[in-house]
Amino acid sequence: MRFTPVVALAAFTASTTASVASDRYIVHFADAASARAATHASQFAPTERRLSDAPRHLRSLAAGGEVFELGPDEASRVSALPGVDAVEEDLMFEPTTVVASLWKRQWYMHDPKVGVDAEKAWKYTRGAGAVVAVLDTGITPHPEFDGQLLPGYDFISDAGAARDGDGRDADPTDMGNWSDPGECHSPEGKASTWHGTHMAGLIAARAGNRPGIVGLAPEAKLIPVRVLGRCGGRSSDIADAIVWASGGDVPGVPTLARRADVINLSMGTTGACGPLLRRAIEQARSRGSVIVTSAGNDQKNANTNTPANCPGVVSVAALGRDGAMASYSNFGNVTLAAPGGHIGDRGADDILSTWDIGKRGRERSVFGYRGGTSVAAPQVAALVALMRSADPDITVDQVTQQLVDNARPLPGPCPKGCGAGLMDAGATVDAVVEDRGRY
Ligand SMILES: [Ca+2]
Ligand SMILES: [Ca+2]
Ligand SMILES: [Ca+2]
């Protein structure tokens, strides 16, 4: 007996549950007769149909193919039926900066090869109770941060670099770090990067809102700390901000009620780790804050880049979409690696996060791609938040040890050294939960 597509479609869709949401798919049939039979029969589907009761034919397409409403589970099985050549999703197109759900584009979270296995970690925790300080260019308003932010601070003491009219203040809003031609070692000038906003989204963009992304620790809280302005930031401001974010006293600035569990430093410059940064980092560690830094994008050993070369930090190299060390990444003296995408032509192989569309001042919240060791570090910082959420008593050194012990082998080559391997959120949080109370 030969099953027609219609009969076969009806036979298996009955076994799917009503809880499976239907979606639109384009079914390509092998011949006109199969198409006619399928589309004709589905006209007799009940008008008050429940979702996924039966495939519902919506229309025939001028370029060939029939639009059906199918559950996502049904689609793959329909494609295997006799008489069906192919099934494709009726994709939702929107303006390039905003799409309905961006989870599929967050490959760094779930790609089986080079992703960090967020979903396994989320079986245990989404970061509730943990606090992450992001020392960066500040923060911009974005729907992804609604309810996610704790009060931050602006540590930029030079008003010209801060662009907010004064020195240090309690408002860490990013005023833009664009440069005019000839400024900041840039002959052509540069657009604002909204770098801090991008880092913050990777850590704790909230879950559940659409359109949107989700951070690796969506229930953790963010402390936005502004230290990088026009042409960058000074170690004097950065060191004070590290002390402050870790709960220490900085003259003239209200002390934090609760120190950050982890401080993200996606920044660097060539040189040794100076005495000031060494002391600030050691003090922060002694108060229980883990320091995560980018390894740097200089294609050199990370021991040439500071703060990546400061004692006691977790330094993070970057992997490309293929799982090999990214061409720009520093290497060698690093703790581990995380997905970082590419640099240059920004696209789907880069790391998607929160952004603002403004070229100078902020204008409108959007999502955008960025590559670099900068975007690798916050994924590790978010993992530290998950670890502290799972076990608030885990020490700074135990955090580092668990990150190293549970990293997985690199999917691609890194001949000059990527530390312990690829960060693995699932395996690491699993191990922290397993070891809880055993230290
Ligand atoms: Ca200011
Ligand atoms: Ca300010
Ligand atoms: Ca979101």
Side-chain angles (χ1 to χ4, degrees):
M1 185 171 115
R2 184 175 175 276
F3 277 47
T4 70
V6 184
V7 173
L9 282 167
F12 79 76
T13 52
S15 68
T16 62
T17 67
S19 65
V20 175
S22 69
D23 208 338
R24 291 183 182 186
Y25 289 83
I26 297 153
V27 181
H28 302 279
F29 292 92
D31 52 62
S34 297
R36 261 200 312 279
T39 56
H40 174 76
S42 66
Q43 285 170 8
F44 295 93
T47 50
E48 295 294 323
R49 65 190 290 279
R50 289 173 296 143
L51 292 181
S52 298
D53 263 359
R56 186 160 75 109
H57 179 239
L58 297 175
R59 74 182 68 85
S60 303
L61 297 171
E66 306 292 335
V67 186
F68 278 90
E69 218 167 58
L70 298 172
D73 295 336
E74 297 169 318
S76 59
R77 299 177 65 181
V78 167
S79 65
L81 294 172
V84 174
D85 268 347
V87 177
E88 64 178 304
E89 200 179 338
D90 193 0
L91 295 174
M92 186 73 77
F93 285 76
E94 295 195 17
T96 49
T97 51
V98 179
V99 296
S101 173
L102 299 167
W103 173 250
K104 282 183 187 169
R105 302 188 187 192
Q106 291 187 271
W107 58 269
Y108 47 95
M109 301 277 266
H110 51 70
D111 182 279
K113 194 169 82 167
V114 69
V116 303
D117 200 5
E119 286 165 301
K120 184 179 177 189
W122 290 343
K123 288 177 184 167
Y124 299 103
T125 174
R126 290 179 160 234
V131 175
V132 184
V134 180
L135 274 54
D136 213 288
T137 60
I139 193 91
T140 55
H142 201 294
E144 290 292 358
F145 301 142
D146 289 353
Q148 305 297 80
L149 304 181
L150 297 175
Y153 211 82
D154 184 344
F155 276 88
I156 301 178
S157 44
D158 179 76
R163 290 196 164 120
D164 60 359
D166 59 16
R168 292 182 178 178
D169 67 87
D171 180 0
T173 299
D174 189 341
M175 306 304 288
N177 61 347
W178 81 88
S179 56
D180 286 320
E183 283 186 339
C184 310
H185 310 292
S186 172
E188 322 82 52
K190 284 180 183 165
S192 292
T193 59
W194 313 112
H195 195 267
T197 289
H198 204 265
M199 304 305 116
L202 291 171
I203 295 163
R206 68 193 172 102
N209 61 315
R210 288 165 72 95
I213 59 160
V214 60
L216 180 56
E219 291 177 11
K221 296 294 185 197
L222 292 163
I223 301 178
V225 187
R226 189 168 182 239
V227 294
L228 305 176
R230 181 176 151 269
C231 304
R234 295 276 182 193
S235 53
S236 48
D237 289 336
I238 295 162
D240 271 2
I242 290 171
V243 170
W244 180 78
S246 62
D249 294 324
V250 177
V253 184
T255 303
L256 275 182
R258 182 219 194 279
R259 60 115 177 86
D261 292 290
V262 51
I263 297 172
N264 189 75
L265 302 173
S266 288
M267 63 180 75
T269 190
T270 301
C273 182
L276 175 66
L277 272 181
R278 276 174 190 261
R279 278 201 303 273
I281 288 169
E282 193 41 51
Q283 286 177 25
R285 283 169 45 85
S286 72
R287 283 188 283 269
S289 296
V290 177
I291 312 287
V292 177
T293 78
S294 51
N297 304 334
D298 315 311
Q299 305 176 306
K300 291 180 181 161
N301 192 301
N303 62 18
T304 62
N305 192 279
T306 196
N309 59 5
C310 290
V313 302
V314 174
S315 61
V316 186
L319 304 183
R321 182 78 167 87
D322 57 359
M325 190 191 84
S327 58
Y328 54 79
S329 181
N330 284 355
F331 47 78
N333 187 31
V334 300
T335 311
L336 77 176
H342 301 274
I343 283 181
D345 295 336
R346 288 172 181 155
D349 285 349
D350 294 325
I351 307 296
L352 183 69
S353 186
T354 40
W355 205 310
D356 193 282
I357 205 167
K359 294 285 183 242
R360 293 194 156 214
R362 66 181 190 279
E363 290 176 17
R364 183 164 52 86
S365 64
V366 292
F367 299 92
Y369 291 98
R370 182 192 303 276
T373 56
S374 267
V375 295
Q379 298 175 74
V380 174
L383 171 52
V384 175
L386 296 178
M387 296 163 80
R388 272 278 167 78
S389 174
D391 182 0
D393 296 326
I394 189 170
T395 68
V396 172
D397 287 333
Q398 286 160 355
V399 163
T400 305
Q401 196 61 49
Q402 291 280 25
L403 287 171
V404 166
D405 288 350
N406 295 289
R408 63 178 194 259
L410 285 196
C414 179
K416 293 173 179 172
C418 284
L422 171 59
M423 69 173 273
D424 189 324
T428 305
V429 175
D430 186 72
V432 168
V433 169
E434 180 79 10
D435 291 348
R436 209 156 37 192
R438 286 192 197 167
Y439 297 116

